[in-house]
Amino acid sequence: MFNKSDQRSAPREQLLIEKDVQSALLLRAALHGGALATYFTVIQFFAQSMINPEVGWFDTALRFFDEAIYWVPALILLAPLFAYDLLKLSNRFAGPVFRLRREMIRLCAGQSEEPIFFRGSDFWSDLQDPFNELREELLDLRRENERLKTELGGTAASAPPPQSDAADKGTKVDAPHTVLQEV
């Protein structure tokens, strides 16, 4: 595992870390790019037909393709660069959420080994301190709980549940959960 300074500066090993979120962003960017290319194509085509109204549709389409040779390769070459840049940018917010979720799962399973640290370029880096404080408080409470269980020893398991005034008032005490219910 990284120490605090290594983890903040080490690059992510995965480009697609939150597949649902990042693939939705890529799909959305592709839809926007497709819409932009369609719009540009339609505008170019109709501009060509308006500039030369006497020319037929076939000749207009040929002129359009003559001009498209300048911008279509750029679009094809830049699309992967845009996708890569989008993934790198989305990693800056998907990575911290991924790490936070993974650490919450570990914490619930009692396997949390050390606090989390986000990279310096990550968004939402202000979440690490409150999470680490909450993590420490939970671990302290768990240790205190274990200490109290040890202190009480086996007497708590063999002792009958405490009686309360609830039995006198027509309520039932559910001992394992200590929940009062109306009878």
Side-chain angles (χ1 to χ4, degrees), residues 30-169:
L31 289 174
H32 288 197
L36 182 63
T38 303
Y39 173 78
F40 191 65
T41 301
V42 169
I43 293 300
Q44 277 292 100
F45 187 78
F46 283 115
Q48 285 293 329
S49 65
M50 288 182 168
I51 290 171
N52 300 315
E54 68 281 347
V55 177
W57 286 102
F58 184 73
D59 290 333
T60 302
L62 286 177
R63 282 186 185 195
F64 168 75
F65 286 118
D66 283 343
E67 290 200 19
I69 201 157
Y70 298 111
W71 60 269
V72 170
L75 182 65
I76 292 171
L77 291 174
L78 290 177
L81 178 64
F82 291 149
Y84 177 77
D85 186 55
L86 182 64
L87 286 175
K88 291 294 280 185
L89 177 67
S90 64
N91 242 338
R92 293 177 57 199
F93 62 82
V97 172
F98 174 80
R99 185 174 287 141
L100 201 56
R101 182 185 314 120
R102 183 182 61 199
E103 191 58 31
M104 282 192 280
I105 290 169
R106 285 180 181 166
L107 192 58
C108 287
Q111 300 169 348
S112 181
E113 297 172 13
E114 57 185 57
I116 61 169
F117 297 101
F118 298 144
R119 290 167 178 81
S121 63
D122 282 345
F123 294 117
W124 300 324
S125 60
D126 58 333
L127 290 176
Q128 93 181 7
D129 291 335
F131 176 80
N132 286 334
E133 289 173 17
L134 186 62
R135 177 190 168 277
E136 280 304 314
E137 186 174 332
L138 178 63
L139 293 175
D140 288 344
L141 287 171
R142 285 180 179 171
R143 285 189 288 271
E144 178 68 12
N145 191 23
E146 287 303 314
R147 185 188 65 77
L148 290 172
K149 282 181 182 178
T150 304
E151 209 173 86
L152 288 174
T155 59
S158 61
Q163 294 296 324
S164 68
D165 297 339
D168 298 336
K169 296 179 183 175

Side-chain angles (χ1 to χ4, degrees), residues 4-37:
K4 184 176 179 179
S5 63
D6 289 342
Q7 198 164 9
R8 287 181 183 235
S9 61
R12 287 202 169 78
E13 295 174 8
Q14 284 183 280
L15 190 60
L16 193 63
I17 193 159
E18 280 286 333
K19 290 176 180 47
D20 293 341
V21 173
Q22 289 177 294
S23 59
L25 285 172
L26 281 176
L27 178 62
R28 182 61 56 134
L31 289 174
H32 288 197
L36 182 63

